[in-house]
Amino acid sequence: MSDVVKLVRHDEVAVVMVDSPPVNALSAAVRRGIFENVKAANADDAVKAIVIACAGRTFVAGADIPEFGKPPQSPGLNEVIAEIEKCTKPVIAAIHGTALGGGLELTLGCHFRVAVLGLRPGAGGTQRRPRAVGPELGVQMIVTGNPIGAPEALKNGLIEEIVEGPTEGAIAFAKKVVAEKRPLRVLKNDDSKLAAAKADRSIFTNAAAAANKKNRGMNAPLACAEAVSWTLDTPFDEALKKEREMFLKLVADDQSKAQRYAFFSEREAAKVQGVPDSTKPRPVERVAIIGAGTMGGGIAMSFANAGIPVTLIETGEEQLKRGLGIMQKNWENTAARGGIPADAPAKRMALIDGKVGLDNVKDADLIIEAVFETMAIKKEVFTAIDAHAKPGAVLASNTSYLNINDIAAVTKRPQDVLGMHFFSPANVMKLCEIVRAEKTAPDALLTAVAIARKIAKVPAVVGVCDGFVGNRMLAARSKQSEKLLFEGALPQQVDAVVTKFGLPMGPFAMGDLAGLDIGWRSRQDRGIKSEIADALCEAGRFGQKTGKGYYKYESGSRAPIPDPEVEKLIDDTCKRLGLTRRAISDQEILERMVYPMINEGARILEEKIASRPSDIDVIWLYGYGWPIYRGGPMFYADLVGLKEIAERLSFYAKQTNDPSLEPAPLLKKLADEGKTFASLGK
Ligand code: NAD
């Protein structure tokens, strides 16, 4: 009947086996296959129980995302579940891997669940799940989206039994249910766990507040919390109808579009353009990382987390010991919080071989340099790497701004040199900008992309320019945030607008976190002035590390507190410079924080530093915490409309006498033609 769902008999038990790689997503074909096979098994007198199981690495891991936004095809998931609930014979879900989203909902339609698992929301999940686990855990699971393990699922009544092999375990369980003549448990008719919550509705408001804290500005978790509360006072069928309406509304809004776009953009980013199809990545068995500082340590941790051995190289034993100590402490803290197993820190440390001297790169297939950001030092290090590395090793620099072509030029193998720009903290941040230099060989490039994916990073290929994609766009924003202070805004006003938009931090809080002295020293080196920032540093305000920067900090706290002293310092500086400050609206701040970045993004596309607007968005989503429900700066630009953005940029260029704000030619062209950035790939 179906290619992706088969019916297999084991004595009196019929197994409906879904086999739709890679993750058994609920495509129309899978839904139809389950629907028809369950119906047939229920009609067959020789069948006494039905098991729904999946082949491959996981039970149904969710909806078929490409189907979202297209006309729905019958049968819908609710119809499939209704067919299961209608069965007169026990239906058992055999769960392995993760039962996420629609997959979990499918299991909730079954009378019984047995598992080996982890668990999320959508059709029926807000109504049946609270009936299985009680409303409190039900609402928490749905708003956080955090999967729960099999033992917890068992404890809370989400599953009936933990089994070893999912299918065999479920068949044995099915036989037991038949022999014991257990009554069928149809969750939609079972309100036994809802009573406790009837007295106390605060669990829903608390869960909504927690969701809002975690995903500020995101609609879906709040809507889900509300939907779970319907279990208390809305009849099941009516609640299910309301839930479907809510789901369709959420799926149609810009936040949902943005999230689907982010999903596909990440996938696209992994497909490297401009390399022959036959190109294969080079094998990487051992990695050498040079520098055990902030970045080198974090990068080494990412490799060890993925089980890849690392030679970590420093200039002296002391630096090495310090770096290794920080890594160990970091893992131990995670283990103490239960984030990794207790024996993981020791196992991961064992994968790291600390060494002094650059001759130790000799066994590595990939070498990543993370030493000080000075061209002379980088060149010295690459000359030494070139002398010792084995032929065919890929040589990468983690530089934030420096020209990779110039670095490659000091080696006799520029074809093997590229950038791998990780973000801080490197063991946490997912982005890795892979910088393709003029002479980088296609297979060296693919090696970097493949290894980045292997260590669970999101790679995006970019070209050589000052700051590559992310930091170059950030610089366009920084220029405006600094100017806004001279024109009349305060750090806390600018930061509040940026965080309200959804970024985790505003530019001034970020400056305080990174340390204001770094930029100050670099300005001194280059003979550049930035009066307000300079005055702060001259007053010893280097940011969080000195307890004072654009904000003040209470000891031991990272929470920025607006400081009247800073307001006075800004005021005095402006007076000294003869500048008149004006009131600046939040709307102007938002436009000047975001539109210049978009403009820089357009230039980056023109110069082919990034090959797709979606690559730029991936960089902002995974490297800078751009809110996923806003898709990325280029996606956001398309939503606002390029004509509006070009007009506002022109306006600010004149208002602030800053020709760099004039719309980039590509932006202007698309705006004039009424097109979007998304139209570029088509
Ligand atoms: P850091 O000062 O924390 O660490 C640099 C380390 O390199 C030091 O431990 C130093 O002893 C070591 N080192 C210097 N010369 C060496 C040599 N010849 N051989 C071996 N080790 C040597 O600096 P960091 O913040 O980790 O930055 C490293 C690189 O990463 C820089 O290029 C920087 O621009 C880039 N980067 C930094 C960040 C960030 O947020 N810190 C983010 C992305 C990229």
Side-chain angles (χ1 to χ4, degrees):
M1 275 198 297
S2 164
D3 290 340
V4 289
V5 184
K6 297 246 159 13
L7 193 63
V8 191
R9 279 285 295 281
H10 293 260
D11 308 322
E12 77 266 35
V13 181
V15 177
V16 176
M17 182 60 87
V18 181
D19 189 2
S20 181
V23 293
N24 295 311
L26 280 172
S27 62
V30 168
R31 294 195 304 270
R32 198 176 318 113
I34 299 174
F35 182 91
E36 287 171 358
N37 282 302
V38 165
K39 197 173 179 163
N42 192 46
D44 183 343
D45 286 341
V47 170
K48 299 285 176 254
I50 303 165
V51 165
I52 301 179
C54 290
R57 64 177 143 102
T58 179
F59 192 81
V60 172
D64 187 39
I65 291 171
E67 265 185 39
F68 281 8
K70 291 189 191 151
Q73 282 192 56
S74 192
L77 179 57
N78 279 334
E79 288 169 70
V80 177
I81 293 176
E83 192 62 32
I84 296 171
E85 284 178 335
K86 264 196 335 225
C87 282
T88 50
K89 300 162 185 177
V91 184
I92 296 113
I95 312 168
H96 75 294
T98 47
L100 291 173
L104 173 62
E105 291 154 29
L106 179 67
T107 73
L108 292 167
C110 298
H111 303 114
F112 305 100
R113 286 151 293 278
V114 297
V116 200
L117 87 151
L119 306 174
R120 226 174 160 163
T126 67
Q127 302 305 309
R128 290 187 184 85
R129 179 193 335 224
R131 287 175 162 83
V133 301
E136 187 156 14
L137 180 61
V139 71
Q140 277 169 18
M141 281 176 73
I142 216 156
V143 300
T144 61
N146 288 342
I148 67 169
E152 206 188 333
L154 181 68
K155 196 177 103 203
N156 291 291
L158 191 57
I159 59 172
E160 271 71 29
E161 239 178 51
I162 294 180
V163 292
E164 265 182 32
T167 313
E168 311 82 79
I171 293 169
F173 180 82
K175 289 182 176 169
K176 195 160 74 182
V177 167
V178 172
E180 289 173 4
K181 298 200 172 59
R182 270 201 215 180
L184 305 189
R185 186 171 175 221
V186 178
L187 282 173
K188 72 174 205 175
N189 301 329
D190 182 355
D191 288 357
S192 59
K193 288 205 171 178
L194 301 181
K198 291 211 161 129
D200 180 12
R201 298 190 76 103
S202 65
I203 54 169
F204 302 112
T205 42
N206 289 346
N212 208 21
K213 205 169 152 200
K214 191 177 163 210
N215 293 310
R216 209 166 10 89
M218 201 138 138
N219 299 332
L222 297 180
C224 285
E226 192 197 331
V228 176
S229 77
W230 299 336
T231 51
L232 301 191
D233 42 31
T234 311
F236 183 87
D237 289 326
E238 196 188 322
L240 209 59
K241 233 177 88 202
K242 276 172 75 173
E243 185 204 53
R244 180 78 191 152
E245 282 158 17
M246 178 188 93
F247 172 76
L248 291 176
K249 211 171 120 212
L250 285 172
V251 157
D253 83 2
D254 288 340
Q255 292 203 352
S256 173
K257 277 186 209 134
Q259 289 176 76
R260 292 196 299 275
Y261 166 84
F263 174 88
F264 289 113
S265 300
E266 180 185 333
R267 263 207 209 166
E268 274 298 295
K271 297 178 198 148
V272 182
Q273 298 203 320
V275 297
D277 284 347
S278 57
T279 316
K280 295 258 174 321
R282 304 177 192 172
V284 175
E285 316 245 299
R286 173 169 278 277
V287 176
I289 294 166
I290 305 173
T294 311
M295 294 306 290
I299 299 167
M301 288 179 76
S302 302
F303 279 95
N305 288 344
I308 299 170
V310 174
T311 307
L312 186 61
I313 301 171
E314 258 294 348
T315 45
E317 291 297 343
E318 200 162 305
Q319 291 86 335
L320 198 54
K321 200 170 141 212
R322 192 181 155 269
L324 289 169
I326 293 172
M327 292 160 65
Q328 175 149 13
K329 187 103 205 101
N330 203 324
W331 272 319
E332 278 167 0
N333 290 343
T334 311
R337 282 198 314 267
I340 51 173
D343 61 351
K347 281 191 180 154
R348 295 180 195 190
M349 284 305 289
L351 285 170
I352 306 209
D353 189 13
K355 290 274 196 256
V356 172
L358 289 172
D359 50 330
N360 290 295
V361 300
K362 61 185 188 309
D363 297 326
D365 306 298
L366 166 68
I367 298 159
I368 302 175
E369 164 277 313
V371 306
F372 306 128
E373 183 78 347
T374 311
M375 187 50 111
I377 301 179
K378 303 271 189 205
K379 284 186 171 172
E380 209 175 283
V381 168
F382 270 80
T383 306
I385 301 175
D386 190 27
H388 297 290
K390 63 181 178 188
V394 173
L395 319 186
S397 171
N398 181 49
T399 177
S400 311
Y401 294 93
L402 300 173
N403 189 312
I404 308 277
N405 294 324
D406 294 349
I407 295 175
V410 302
T411 72
K412 289 189 254 351
R413 41 175 128 184
Q415 73 281 2
D416 296 334
V417 180
L418 45 74
M420 284 185 82
H421 182 210
F422 292 86
F423 287 69
S424 180
N427 55 318
V428 177
M429 296 303 288
K430 291 188 68 120
L431 178 66
C432 183
E433 282 182 329
I434 312 275
V435 190
R436 179 180 203 167
E438 256 164 33
K439 296 189 175 158
T440 308
D443 65 334
L445 189 66
L446 283 198
T447 308
V449 170
I451 198 80
R453 283 167 64 85
K454 195 158 175 196
I455 61 171
K457 300 294 177 196
V458 178
V461 174
V462 302
V464 174
C465 67
D466 192 32
F468 314 117
V469 171
N471 283 345
R472 176 170 160 180
M473 288 169 70
L474 188 67
R477 188 184 83 174
S478 304
K479 186 173 167 191
Q480 294 304 313
S481 56
E482 198 186 323
K483 277 174 57 173
L484 281 164
L485 293 190
F486 290 98
E487 293 172 36
L490 290 173
Q492 52 268 32
Q493 190 193 358
V494 176
D495 282 358
V497 170
V498 171
T499 51
K500 188 165 169 237
F501 181 75
L503 281 134
M505 236 185 235
F508 296 106
M510 202 167 121
D512 276 1
L513 174 67
L516 304 178
D517 51 323
I518 303 172
W520 184 41
R521 293 221 172 81
S522 137
R523 283 194 298 279
Q524 284 173 331
D525 283 350
R526 292 176 292 156
I528 308 173
K529 275 192 162 186
S530 173
E531 280 86 357
I532 294 172
D534 291 351
L536 284 171
C537 288
E538 280 154 20
R541 304 185 72 116
F542 291 172
Q544 283 190 20
K545 59 177 130 180
T546 55
K548 284 174 175 184
Y550 283 106
Y551 297 91
K552 57 183 176 188
Y553 298 85
E554 275 166 3
S555 73
S557 163
R558 288 162 174 263
I561 304 166
D563 188 347
E565 274 181 36
V566 173
E567 291 176 31
K568 185 168 179 319
L569 183 146
I570 294 174
D571 227 34
D572 290 349
T573 309
C574 289
K575 282 201 183 105
R576 183 164 52 77
L577 298 172
L579 301 171
T580 319
R581 293 166 59 74
R582 62 183 168 96
I584 299 183
S585 73
D586 285 359
Q587 182 61 25
E588 172 170 351
I589 292 177
L590 180 64
E591 292 176 357
R592 287 180 61 187
M593 288 294 88
V594 179
Y595 296 178
M597 275 176 45
I598 294 166
N599 208 21
E600 200 60 41
R603 291 191 190 105
I604 282 168
L605 289 170
E606 262 161 28
E607 293 168 26
K608 302 204 178 344
I609 297 295
S611 50
R612 293 167 283 234
S614 61
D615 285 1
I616 297 179
D617 287 336
V618 163
I619 286 166
W620 275 82
L621 285 166
Y622 294 103
Y624 300 85
W626 183 277
I628 189 156
Y629 58 83
R630 292 195 197 276
M634 308 316 270
F635 178 87
Y636 178 74
D638 283 351
L639 278 186
V640 174
L642 300 191
K643 186 164 170 278
E644 160 80 8
I645 291 175
E647 281 170 8
R648 297 306 291 161
L649 280 167
S650 250
F651 170 81
Y652 291 122
K654 290 176 188 75
Q655 176 187 281
T656 66
N657 194 16
D658 180 356
S660 77
L661 285 179
E662 284 295 349
L666 175 66
L667 174 59
K668 188 149 184 359
K669 178 171 171 282
L670 292 172
D672 289 346
E673 292 170 356
K675 288 189 177 156
T676 58
F677 284 120
S679 72
L680 285 174
K682 307 210 166 91

